[in-house]
């Protein structure tokens, strides 16, 4: 195993940073080339075409996203990242809770949250069986 001088990595990084920094920022949407727009749109078109049964949900989600404030969008992004880091069991629980809470007012959601935290694992399992995610 070769021993590299401790200054080598920072030196290499310092050389790479200017190359990355020299890329000009991308323009506003109207100034993007057709190829740049296609790169951005293609994944959504593929999802849309592959999921006819989910199109209304995708459309409603996009409309809802546009109506959110920047703070609400940031909060939603944090929630999505948190969800992705959960175990499959935690994700199943989160889906079921979210599905149930969508139909509740704020006081009912808070009550369910408190109830959930007091439940034993067996009680949670029973609740999940009685309240599957939509």
């Amino acid at each position: 195993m070769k021993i590299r001088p401790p200054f080598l990595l920072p030196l290499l990084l310092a050389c790479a940073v200017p190359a990355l920094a020299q890329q000009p920022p991308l323009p506003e949407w109207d100034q993007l080339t057709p190829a740049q727009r296609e790169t951005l749109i293609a994944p959504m078109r593929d999802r849309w075409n592959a999921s006819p049964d989910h199109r209304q949900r995708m459309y409603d989600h996009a409309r809802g996203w546009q109506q959110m404030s920047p703070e609400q969008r940031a909060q939603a992004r944090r929630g999505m990242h948190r969800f992705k880091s959960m175990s499959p069991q935690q994700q199943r629980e989160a889906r079921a809770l979210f599905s149930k809470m969508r139909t509740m007012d704020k006081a009912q959601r808070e009550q369910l949250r408190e109830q959930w935290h007091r439940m034993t694992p067996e009680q949670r399992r029973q609740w999940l069986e009685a309240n599957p995610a939509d």
Side-chain angles (χ1 to χ4, degrees):
M1 181 168 117
K2 285 186 178 179
I3 298 177
R4 293 182 175 87
F7 62 86
L8 188 56
L9 181 60
L11 181 61
L12 289 172
L13 288 174
C15 292
V17 170
L20 293 175
Q22 290 175 354
Q23 294 180 358
L26 290 170
E28 295 291 323
W29 182 265
D30 293 337
Q31 282 76 45
L32 290 174
T33 66
Q36 289 170 319
R37 289 183 188 180
E38 178 61 24
T39 298
L40 294 167
I41 292 173
M44 187 65 220
R45 182 179 41 249
D46 293 343
R47 282 181 52 207
W48 182 269
N49 289 336
S51 306
D53 295 341
H54 295 100
R55 289 177 184 166
Q56 187 64 50
R57 184 169 184 249
M58 286 189 276
Y59 183 73
D60 293 343
H61 184 267
R63 288 181 58 218
W65 189 262
Q66 287 177 334
Q67 295 171 358
M68 288 181 179
S69 69
E71 295 81 21
Q72 290 170 321
R73 289 179 185 177
Q75 183 179 6
R77 282 187 193 99
R78 285 191 300 273
M80 287 185 282
H81 290 297
R82 188 172 62 234
F83 182 82
K84 288 178 184 178
S85 68
M86 292 178 177
S87 70
Q89 174 62 26
Q90 290 171 320
Q91 288 182 0
R92 188 171 80 96
E93 292 173 1
R95 279 189 195 97
L97 283 167
F98 181 76
S99 178
K100 184 72 172 178
M101 287 183 177
R102 276 196 307 213
T103 64
M104 300 175 155
D105 64 30
K106 188 175 181 175
Q108 291 170 323
R109 287 191 302 267
E110 186 57 37
Q111 182 181 10
L112 178 56
R113 233 181 254 113
E114 290 173 9
Q115 178 186 353
W116 182 263
H117 290 296
R118 289 190 309 264
M119 287 183 193
T120 65
E122 178 59 24
Q123 290 170 325
R124 288 180 181 180
R125 187 190 63 72
Q126 291 172 357
W127 187 92
L128 289 169
E129 286 177 5
N131 298 280
D134 293 334

